[in-house]
Amino acid sequence: MEKGFSPVGLRVLVVDDDPTWLKILEKMLKKCSYEVTTCGLAREALRLLRERKDGFDIVISDVNMPDMDGFKLLEHVGLELDLPVIMMSVDGETSRVMKGVQHGACDYLLKPIRMKELKIIWQHVLRKKLQEVRDIEGCCYDGGADWFTQGQFLGGGEDVSFGKKRKDFDFEKKLFQDESDQSSSSKKARVVWSYELHQKFVNAVNQIGCDHKAGPKKILDLMNIPWLTRENVASHLQKYRLYLSRLEKGKEIKCYSGGVKNMDSPPKDAEINSGHQSPGKSSSYAFLKATETDPKQLASASVSDPTSDIHMPQKAKKTRIGFDPPISSGVFGSLLPWNDVPDPLESKPPILYENSFLQQQPLPSQSSYVANSAPSLMQEEMKPSYVNPDEFLMPQNKNSTVILQDMDLSAPFSSNATSNTESIPGSLNWELPEAHHSGSLDTDLDFTWLHGEHFFANSGLQNFQFQDYSNSSSTSLLSELPPHLWYGNDRLPDPDEYTLMVDQGLFIS
Amino acid sequence: MQRQVALIKQSLFDQGYLDEQFIELEELQDDANPNFVEEVATLYFKDSARLISNIEQALERGSFDFNRLDNYMHQFKGSSTSIGASKVKTECTMFREYCRVGNAEGCLRTFKQLKKEHATLRKKLEQYFQASK
């Protein structure tokens, strides 16, 4: 059995009409030390969820169920309860997977499901929490100008493409967010550009033809959304145009080989293929590249995104890009004609699809410009001396994960960490450890790391490595390290192994 | 006895009746659930018997509702992946393919084969669990 790290007590609801699978999944999840509730019927599951409003952290559901379509359940859960939902199926057909993503699934697992896939589902919970926090602090991310200045921190060559991609994603993400977020004091009605709304918008634009001629008034008329105003459309259009123009430029720069590697390196590591932790493949965008990779691989790719930047030192920002889902603008470009995607919902009041497809943009992209703009709450306070959370967040696949955090690694590091973890009870309270971080994190996101000892015990090299860093002049040493190392590996990878490492790292966002 | 168990198991894998999922199940077995694999297998055969009879009825009706048949088979396939019933799974896939192209004859043929594989696996696993006791 693989060693892994999982937050104990994560409350999982499993829904599957297949009794055999239900039994197996229950056992597997229990082995992950999760708290499992099983359910054979979708309606029953919904009832349970509604009854115990805050009783569950995550839902795993099969797609095909007799009493209710899994996607419907997904919608309900997503909308009513805002819980992360993972879909499962024996069918890895791209269209189904896409459907899952569209309906807001945070992941799509192919049966037979492996332990390692279940071991990291907590990432989705964490990501969601982080998203919530970010949304609350929405204004922090509103550095509009930053999108344009991001180019400055981009290095040469390879980094550039990723950086650009990330910018685009930021932008795209922004498109979906509240556009009137800018002036928090503004009393304008909030327009939330949900996926569907944006799709209508794009449809209208495309219908008009050349989007340069498309004026807000025309678009508004075509969209036929009564509550939408011309101003809303105008501002959205402006953003959209900017986005398009940047895409155009971006298209010239092909997807970084690192990203490409991720996509088509099946022979590299069987684990990556079937596994769940490869961010390279694990992006929702992997779905779009269906033609290039086999569906199973795609479908099993999780949408776990690169590790959140919360413990990402500023310096690493630019080179950290490698962790982003390897989306080439081509892929994104293919995303653009959203008209292809069936529009399941009619004009509804705007709902922010937290889990919308593009939402699955890596958090890093979000906080990447945070780093550049005025330091945000999260970024600043989650500064790297924050070693422990990384440990927590790093699932141990095969290698020990050595968190090579920031410069502040000091000799007492290991002992601090150990003492920290020891004091933590074995249940998931998501509490922040007291020691070892600069400033408290006053977000409502608390997380703890458990099994710290387990963590240490796992890694033969770990202590050794820590010693290393504490003794040497850590600053210089770390600055030499390629950033992906910060995500832990007990060896220095060579460039070819870059993506391999990336895959083994932890990716949450 | 141990050797017999090992032999049976080996042949199951060698002949392609089972795949790595079965091993995954064995790894799940622990002190808390010492008979986990057998329990799962029992559950599978019970449930799959039900599915088989559903499909049988649907086929006997003669009015090949391929959609419905495909649905049943989808369930069956999903179920069969749970214990790693490799050959059964293959037949399921073939059956679904025939459904997709609307080939009734192919469906019937494949279903027959599927039942055969299913029965064989059942017997072999019964032997295996018996020998393991």
Side-chain angles (χ1 to χ4, degrees), chain A residues 52-232:
Chain A
R52 300 195 238 164
K53 274 272 164 166
D54 283 314
F56 299 98
D57 295 309
I58 188 167
V59 179
I60 305 182
S61 168
D62 191 82
V63 161
N64 291 79
M65 285 186 292
D67 65 329
M68 190 194 290
D69 184 17
F71 297 117
K72 268 244 122 37
L73 175 66
L74 169 58
E75 271 180 47
H76 281 297
V77 175
L79 290 175
E80 289 177 39
L81 304 147
D82 201 28
L83 285 175
V85 182
I86 295 178
M87 303 303 291
M88 305 183 283
S89 180
V90 68
D91 181 2
E93 211 179 297
T94 320
S95 60
R96 303 228 83 196
V97 176
M98 273 298 293
K99 196 173 175 194
V101 171
Q102 281 161 24
H103 281 74
C106 56
D107 211 337
Y108 193 107
L109 302 180
L110 272 198
K111 289 177 171 176
I113 298 178
R114 294 279 170 264
M115 272 299 284
K116 60 184 158 196
E117 293 172 295
L118 293 180
K119 276 195 143 62
I120 58 167
I121 62 174
W122 55 268
Q123 293 177 26
H124 299 292
V125 182
L126 182 59
R127 182 195 303 139
K128 215 162 164 75
K129 287 197 197 287
L130 291 175
Q131 279 174 350
E132 282 165 25
V133 169
R134 270 193 7 256
D135 289 340
I136 291 167
E137 302 166 354
C139 48
C140 292
Y141 300 94
D142 195 288
D146 297 323
W147 304 341
F148 303 94
T149 59
Q150 258 178 19
Q152 288 159 20
F153 75 85
L154 291 177
E158 305 151 344
D159 288 340
V160 176
S161 56
F162 263 123
K164 287 230 156 160
K165 303 304 169 294
R166 199 201 295 165
K167 262 190 292 184
D168 293 335
F169 302 144
D170 291 347
F171 189 87
E172 195 55 33
K173 194 177 179 97
K174 211 52 174 117
L175 268 182
F176 287 133
Q177 282 175 358
D178 184 359
E179 290 183 359
S180 12
D181 231 350
Q182 265 110 41
S183 46
S184 39
S185 58
S186 155
K187 298 205 174 51
K188 280 187 287 183
R190 293 166 69 99
V191 174
V192 174
W193 282 86
S194 68
Y195 177 86
E196 281 73 19
L197 194 59
H198 178 79
Q199 197 182 297
K200 277 193 137 51
F201 168 82
V202 173
N203 285 346
V205 166
N206 291 337
Q207 219 176 308
I208 294 176
C210 171
D211 62 342
H212 299 299
K213 283 196 284 187
K217 183 85 178 56
K218 263 194 205 162
I219 299 172
L220 182 64
D221 288 339
L222 273 175
M223 282 177 73
N224 195 24
I225 311 263
W227 48 265
L228 199 63
T229 71
R230 196 199 143 281
E231 286 73 26
N232 301 141

Side-chain angles (χ1 to χ4, degrees), chain A residues 377-428:
Chain A
L377 173 77
M378 296 257 290
Q379 209 265 335
E380 209 54 75
E381 296 182 352
M382 296 287 265
K383 250 180 166 223
S385 59
Y386 216 75
V387 183
N388 290 340
D390 281 350
E391 293 175 344
F392 165 70
L393 293 169
M394 298 287 287
Q396 298 206 305
N397 306 333
K398 336 191 253 198
N399 305 328
S400 63
T401 47
V402 173
I403 313 305
L404 307 171
Q405 266 295 355
D406 197 1
M407 334 302 174
D408 297 332
L409 280 178
S410 48
F413 168 62
S414 353
S415 51
N416 270 354
T418 346
S419 60
N420 249 345
T421 51
E422 273 162 14
S423 65
I424 289 165
S427 66
L428 184 73

Side-chain angles (χ1 to χ4, degrees), chain A residues 239-284:
Chain A
K239 290 188 178 179
Y240 184 63
R241 280 190 183 145
L242 279 166
Y243 160 71
L244 283 182
S245 67
R246 276 142 122 260
L247 264 196
E248 284 305 309
K249 292 187 204 138
K251 267 182 189 146
E252 294 155 14
I253 301 163
K254 272 308 164 188
C255 182
Y256 175 41
S257 62
V260 170
K261 249 197 247 177
N262 277 338
M263 290 300 242
D264 55 25
S265 61
K268 239 193 163 118
D269 188 327
E271 187 181 273
I272 296 172
N273 275 349
S274 58
H276 201 64
Q277 291 108 350
S278 47
K281 295 168 183 48
S282 69
S283 64
S284 40

